[in-house]
Amino acid sequence: MTRPVEIPALLGPTASGKSALALELAAALGGEIVSADSMQLYRGLDLGTAKPSAAEQRQIPHHLIDVLDLEAPSDVFSYVAMADAAIADIAGRGRVPVIAGGTGMYLKALFYGLDDLPRDAGLRARLDAEYDSEEGFAALLRRMAAEDPAALERWSRHRRRLIRALEVRLLTGESIIALQSRAGSGLRHPVRAWVLEWPREELKRRIAERTRLMLDSGWIEEAERLLSAGLAATPTARQALGYGLIGEYLAGRMGYGELAERIATATWQLARRQITWFRHQHPEAAPLAMPAAAGELLADLQKRHSALSSLRGEG
RNA sequence: GGUGGGGUUCCCGAGUGGCUAAAGGGGGCAGACUGUAAAUCUGCUGGUUGUACCUUCGGUGGUUCGAAUCCACCCCCCACCA
């Protein structure tokens, strides 16, 4: 079995053109796309997540898109497990996995790994029920002061992280902070990563334009359908940006102009968080100035690929 | 034309004599990030060479030791009456 010498990975904020470039890369290299997008995992979240179209998915095989029902929970570990499997599968068939995505935490965990601290779904559900509310938060703070002061100090405002810290504490008797190896030393896969970068104003403009386009091409209807099917009550998919705002629009609480503006703003805020993440959490990734450098990257990778293929006697 | 309400820092909006460069929210900027991450959370946000000075609350003038806050006139907006 031939293992690829390197796995190209395209990281970048929303609306930076990852999907399109990944498609070109995969086509040029004989590859298949491995998505790293927490929301495109879900069947049904289509227009709202700018998911690759059915035609695009026919043209190039995509992995980790449409693999979960809306009601299914998702988390980094299950993502990494699925991504590892997809990469192994693709490489095992002698194809090139092309990673593309914007979910920083998933990408970092896939590239560098995560401490496998214990978890217990039942316990977690109980803790959530008890503490994941405004009233519960105060009680959680009191309990953590006794159970795990170090975790409390680190995440004094993060309800979710404190609940997870308490879960680990109850399961192991130790503080999650002591158990974290904070390793992340070596790459788990031979990735060669780039971060797609755009001039600020241009990315903002792309986001605003894409928002309008998405709203005008069926996102509102999609949201209406999913919302009435219970999207708001799902554990993870409900966090997808925009659907809730569309719900408010449909309820008459804002006009179309305001809706478009608020979604564009929220999307820009997401993009900023992504940019910050990639700026600080991914030393392995090289900046790729869009749109100019996309063509060069394509040509460069194509050249390397054909050289490697002929070395292996495949070309 | 008349009566009433209103014009506040990028936006909305509180503030009716000193504790006000001015609450709060939004936006913006920077950052964090180990099993819900398109999530969750933190800091900064008038200017300048630091707790000092300068500029700012529609405009002008006035009262006062001191005004976004009081007075006069003017400009603009909204509601209702004509």
Side-chain angles (χ1 to χ4, degrees):
Chain A
M1 129 176 169
T2 335
R3 284 198 53 90
V5 172
E6 59 188 24
I7 299 175
L10 301 177
L11 327 187
T14 184
S16 60
K18 299 180 296 290
S19 306
L21 186 53
L23 225 40
E24 293 189 67
L25 278 188
L29 306 180
E32 301 183 12
I33 293 170
V34 178
S35 164
D37 185 303
S38 64
M39 292 302 151
Q40 292 186 3
L41 248 21
Y42 288 96
R43 281 185 284 273
L45 300 181
D46 300 332
L47 279 330
T49 61
K51 190 178 284 177
S53 68
E56 287 167 331
Q57 296 195 48
R58 264 195 303 276
Q59 182 194 337
I60 300 286
H62 282 65
H63 300 258
L64 302 194
I65 284 182
D66 289 340
V67 296
L68 296 176
D69 285 328
L70 290 175
E71 308 73 40
S74 172
D75 64 71
V76 221
F77 261 73
S78 61
Y79 171 78
V80 172
M82 289 190 291
D84 283 344
I87 289 169
D89 167 54
I90 296 166
R93 297 192 321 265
R95 310 264 293 167
V96 180
V98 175
I99 299 171
T103 301
M105 192 194 198
Y106 286 10
L107 286 161
K108 188 180 178 188
L110 175 62
F111 291 2
Y112 293 103
L114 230 40
D115 292 312
D116 192 5
L117 305 180
R119 66 114 153 214
D120 178 315
L123 172 61
R124 180 57 164 278
R126 261 174 279 135
L127 295 178
D128 277 346
E130 192 168 354
Y131 300 117
D132 203 358
S133 67
E134 279 310 313
E135 319 80 69
F137 191 43
L140 176 63
L141 293 178
R142 268 180 265 118
R143 182 158 182 194
M144 287 305 282
E147 296 275 4
D148 190 344
L152 177 61
E153 187 187 352
R154 184 133 140 206
W155 295 304
S156 60
R157 306 291 181 83
H158 294 247
R159 185 164 32 219
R160 287 183 181 180
R161 291 180 191 169
L162 287 175
I163 289 176
R164 158 103 269 243
L166 180 56
E167 178 186 12
V168 171
R169 168 76 201 189
L170 294 175
L171 256 23
T172 66
E174 293 181 69
S175 167
I176 186 172
I177 289 180
L179 294 173
Q180 285 174 177
S181 69
R182 72 196 61 180
S185 44
L187 288 168
R188 299 171 62 248
H189 293 283
V191 295
R192 184 139 180 264
W194 289 268
V195 178
L196 311 210
E197 296 181 348
W198 287 82
R200 231 183 171 72
E201 290 312 313
E202 209 165 329
L203 185 60
K204 263 190 199 180
R205 189 177 49 70
R206 287 171 60 92
I207 286 172
E209 282 173 6
R210 194 182 69 169
T211 298
R212 291 269 180 181
L213 190 65
M214 286 161 58
L215 286 171
D216 291 342
S217 50
W219 188 11
I220 293 175
E221 293 69 30
E222 172 179 310
E224 183 165 31
R225 187 164 16 92
L226 299 181
L227 252 13
S228 64
L231 177 63
T234 62
T236 308
R238 65 138 190 267
Q239 295 173 161
L241 186 157
Y243 290 87
L245 286 170
I246 294 177
E248 289 185 45
Y249 160 78
L250 290 170
R253 284 198 283 278
M254 70 178 90
Y256 179 84
E258 185 184 348
L259 173 66
E261 196 178 314
R262 287 181 62 179
I263 290 180
T265 295
T267 305
W268 170 246
Q269 292 171 335
L270 163 65
R272 293 240 4 241
R273 269 177 273 133
Q274 293 174 303
I275 290 168
T276 299
W277 178 280
F278 294 130
R279 188 147 65 202
H280 299 281
Q281 308 287 329
H282 287 266
E284 83 286 353
L288 186 73
M290 293 291 284
E296 297 165 33
L297 173 67
L298 197 57
D300 179 54
L301 281 184
Q302 212 162 358
K303 207 183 320 165
R304 295 168 66 96
H305 180 70
S306 53
L308 286 170
S309 296
S310 57
L311 265 182
R312 289 200 207 106
E314 293 172 9

